[in-house]
Amino acid sequence: MVHNYFAMHGSKSVQALLLAIVVIGVSMMHPCKSLSTSSTSPSLCEFPAIFNFGDSNSDTGGRSAAFGQIGPPHGQTFFHAPAGRYSDGRHIIDFIAKSFGLPYLNGFLDSVGSNFSHGANFATAGSTIRPQTTIYYSPFSLKIQSNQFYDFHQRSQIFRDKEDIFKKLLPKAEYFSEALYTFDIGQNDLVASYFPNMSIDQVKETIPDMLDQFKTYAKSIYKQGARYFWIHNTGPLGCLPYVLDGLPLTTQMDPTGCAIPINELAQYFNFGLKKAVAQLREDMPLASITYVDVYSIKYDLISNANKYGFIYPLKACCGQGGKYNYDSHKGCGARFMDHGKEILVGACNNPLVKINWDGAHYTDAANKWVFDRLADGLYSDPPISLKRACYKY
Ligand SMILES: *[C@@H]1O[C@H](CO)[C@@H](O)[C@H](O)[C@H]1NC(C)=O
Ligand SMILES: *[C@@H]1O[C@H](CO)[C@@H](O)[C@H](O)[C@H]1NC(C)=O
């Protein structure tokens, strides 16, 4: 069996859709601290756990556990083996966990070898905010992820009380209010609507419902004690090879080569998400909520790739064929027969200078670059760094 994302799916256009990325949303905080205006600089936040919600952009093994392991060459640069991530290495969420001295998060769905004492990851590749009716996306929409979190919260405490071994595998009760909750989700909803048959305007009409559902599940997580939220907006989808490959040739492109209408759609969603976050600040008065403009960081990286030491920002490292080194029939890790010989679609020579890994996801090097900017607060609203995300402004 081919352990490949594409292998599970049918038609070509659908395969392109499958690459859909999972957006992770996390929020982090410690019991309500208020930033005083005094000149003494407040101490850094120490989150004892992280709970993450999202799509493939932050999936650390959920989809693999549910549907079969992601195969090589995924994971090759950092983990030296497939590691449940659509990347050659780490996702942004991995760098976030590491920056707090926490272990990488295990997927909630992963029953083998997982240790949830410092958090859990509910993200799965293909996840959307709104449940999808097609089989091409993940069944683990944000609603399901928030239900799973509820279940995890309740049951982890029952088991901790029952047996000592679970005290070393499951979070302490107080961690649920002290943890950082991260979110990165929404990209797949946009792509899932646009590609099969909707116009940009029709996709825009679905956004209010996406945002309503996002608020509903953020509030459900808040009601269970979450206080520190860290919410990523969605990236420049119009710069991703799997999206570019599926667009009509008449699509307007910007000077970087990204699709203008698709990036405008992403920005339109982000504008709404920022307003939804403002609403959440009113609805969740005890929470500290940081909105992070991942779009601008990624767009800066892609449009100034050479300046930052990267090359060919619109070409997948792992892939083959066409203008974007991407073919939905022969995606990263796919095996196919050519003149009686089996060919594996493998990686480029130097993933360290590439931004895009497999057509839909970022390389370890790009994710690290994005994390370094995202952590310092310049792209956050309010403008606070990751290490101060437990403060309320
Ligand atoms: C789970 O991870 C925590 C933190 O790294 C560690 O203290 C604990 O011993 C681990 N549990 C087991 C059973 O190894
Ligand atoms: C798109 O296709 C779906 C499924 O075939 C259908 O339910 C929907 O009404 C279509 N939407 C538009 C705008 O054509």
Side-chain angles (χ1 to χ4, degrees):
M1 162 174 173
V2 180
H3 293 293
N4 179 265
Y5 191 57
F6 299 106
M8 300 184 299
H9 308 287
S11 79
K12 175 175 163 91
S13 64
V14 170
Q15 287 168 336
L17 300 179
L18 282 183
L19 288 179
I21 299 168
V22 177
V23 180
I24 301 169
V26 177
S27 63
M28 308 164 112
M29 290 176 57
H30 277 302
C32 246
K33 294 166 185 171
S34 276
L35 201 59
S36 77
T37 46
S38 85
S39 58
T40 56
S41 96
S43 60
L44 301 177
C45 310
E46 284 173 40
F47 302 107
I50 297 176
F51 297 100
N52 180 65
F53 302 84
D55 57 25
S56 57
N57 288 312
S58 61
D59 182 352
T60 57
R63 184 165 188 126
S64 281
F67 300 113
Q69 298 297 314
I70 297 167
H74 293 285
Q76 70 168 34
T77 302
F78 184 76
F79 299 102
H80 310 296
R85 291 157 176 82
Y86 286 106
S87 175
D88 60 324
R90 295 158 288 183
H91 288 319
I92 294 168
I93 188 65
D94 294 313
F95 292 104
I96 290 177
K98 188 170 160 242
S99 75
F100 291 108
L102 299 175
Y104 297 132
L105 298 183
N106 286 125
F108 164 75
L109 293 170
D110 200 350
S111 52
V112 180
S114 288
N115 182 340
F116 300 112
S117 57
H118 295 278
N121 190 354
F122 300 89
T124 69
S127 286
T128 47
I129 295 174
R130 303 201 308 166
Q132 297 298 308
T133 49
T134 72
I135 59 160
Y136 309 115
Y137 287 88
S138 166
F140 308 110
S141 63
L142 187 57
K143 176 184 184 172
I144 304 291
Q145 292 182 28
S146 79
N147 287 347
Q148 290 172 335
F149 171 70
Y150 177 84
D151 215 38
F152 179 79
H153 189 180
Q154 306 303 313
R155 299 183 75 234
S156 61
Q157 299 314 302
I158 294 170
F159 277 87
R160 270 185 69 90
D161 290 345
K162 255 190 203 164
E163 269 189 67
D164 273 356
I165 177 68
F166 294 115
K167 291 192 167 62
K168 284 186 161 182
L169 290 167
L170 296 167
K172 293 180 184 165
E174 60 268 29
Y175 285 7
F176 287 90
S177 57
E178 296 169 357
L180 182 65
Y181 288 76
T182 53
F183 296 80
D184 190 328
I185 193 160
Q187 166 171 345
N188 288 327
D189 296 76
L190 302 177
V191 177
S193 297
Y194 177 75
F195 271 110
N197 58 7
M198 283 192 197
S199 69
I200 294 280
D201 284 340
Q202 285 170 325
V203 182
K204 282 184 179 171
E205 285 168 20
T206 69
I207 290 178
D209 186 43
M210 281 173 71
L211 297 170
D212 280 349
Q213 296 204 23
F214 183 85
K215 284 185 282 189
T216 298
Y217 302 120
K219 281 187 270 190
S220 130
I221 291 163
Y222 172 78
K223 279 199 203 106
Q224 293 174 59
R227 291 298 178 261
Y228 308 105
F229 290 76
W230 181 264
I231 299 171
H232 292 176
N233 72 5
T234 204
L237 313 186
C239 304
L240 298 176
Y242 89 102
V243 170
L244 289 165
D245 182 64
L247 293 174
L249 292 173
T250 52
T251 308
Q252 261 195 303
M253 300 293 176
D254 69 13
T256 298
C258 302
I260 291 171
I262 304 293
N263 276 349
E264 279 178 359
L265 179 64
Q267 295 277 50
Y268 186 84
F269 168 74
N270 288 340
F271 179 74
L273 182 64
K274 197 169 179 179
K275 283 208 299 204
V277 166
Q279 180 63 47
L280 285 175
R281 289 195 185 101
E282 287 180 26
D283 297 345
M284 312 189 324
L286 300 178
S288 304
I289 315 177
T290 311
Y291 168 90
V292 188
D293 185 9
V294 172
Y295 181 103
S296 295
I297 303 174
K298 286 182 171 172
Y299 191 76
D300 180 26
L301 173 61
I302 291 167
S303 55
N304 297 298
N306 295 355
K307 179 172 131 194
Y308 298 128
F310 292 88
I311 57 171
Y312 303 127
L314 302 181
K315 273 188 200 286
C317 163
C318 182
Q320 70 157 42
K323 188 170 170 192
Y324 304 108
N325 197 38
Y326 175 81
D327 176 343
S328 61
H329 283 303
K330 294 170 184 167
C332 180
R335 289 165 205 273
F336 63 95
M337 298 303 286
D338 187 35
H339 295 92
K341 238 178 64 185
E342 192 187 58
I343 313 251
L344 167 77
V345 178
C348 58
N349 286 336
N350 193 357
L352 299 181
V353 297
K354 298 303 291 292
I355 293 170
N356 193 280
W357 167 243
D358 59 0
H361 308 103
Y362 291 75
T363 58
D364 182 272
N367 282 330
K368 178 169 194 320
W369 193 95
V370 172
F371 169 77
D372 288 343
R373 269 127 203 107
L374 160 161
D376 73 11
L378 289 179
Y379 292 88
S380 297
D381 173 40
I384 53 167
S385 67
L386 181 58
K387 288 275 159 101
R388 308 226 190 263
C390 59
Y391 293 97
K392 207 165 158 48
Y393 283 75

